[in-house]
Amino acid sequence: MTNQIEDVHSGSSFDEFLIEEGLHEEVESAAIRRVLVWQFEQEMERKQKTKRAMAKELKTSRSQLDRLLDPQNTTVSIETLSASGTRAGKAAGA
């Protein structure tokens, strides 16, 4: 008797499903946005920066920073998040 592992996965991949449903780009964008927000928050925590202090360093308001850090806010582009993260790292001395 041989111990062979059967491929229990059948059908298409999750990515293929999302493409078929026309949701791939939206889901991928949301995932990237969440990761960027998480990384931004981790950097703030590492540098022991409050939202108020970070907003001041980025020369923006606390409410604008809150909108930036809201992963559900789809009006903030990935490019904006990425640029803000880069500025935050430089402002925090990274």
Side-chain angles (χ1 to χ4, degrees), residues 20-90:
E20 289 171 8
E21 296 297 315
L23 299 171
H24 188 264
E25 190 173 313
E26 180 182 344
V27 170
E28 189 172 71
S29 177
I32 291 169
R33 186 177 300 109
R34 284 178 177 258
V35 169
L36 289 173
V37 166
W38 178 79
Q39 288 175 335
F40 193 96
E41 289 172 338
Q42 291 296 307
E43 185 63 16
M44 282 177 54
E45 188 176 310
R46 188 177 78 77
K47 297 289 185 177
Q48 298 179 347
K49 296 283 182 187
T50 63
K51 285 184 180 181
R52 185 176 185 188
M54 186 58 72
K56 185 177 180 179
E57 287 185 19
L58 293 174
K59 296 178 175 68
T60 190
S61 68
R62 162 97 192 265
S63 60
Q64 184 65 27
L65 184 61
D66 283 337
R67 283 190 289 277
L68 181 74
L69 295 177
D70 180 1
Q72 302 300 319
N73 186 350
T74 58
T75 62
V76 176
S77 72
I78 292 171
E79 290 81 15
T80 300
L81 281 169
S82 181
S84 296
T86 300
R87 284 193 312 253
K90 289 178 182 175

Side-chain angles (χ1 to χ4, degrees), residues 1-6:
M1 219 191 309
T2 60
N3 291 333
Q4 292 183 346
I5 299 175
E6 292 184 36

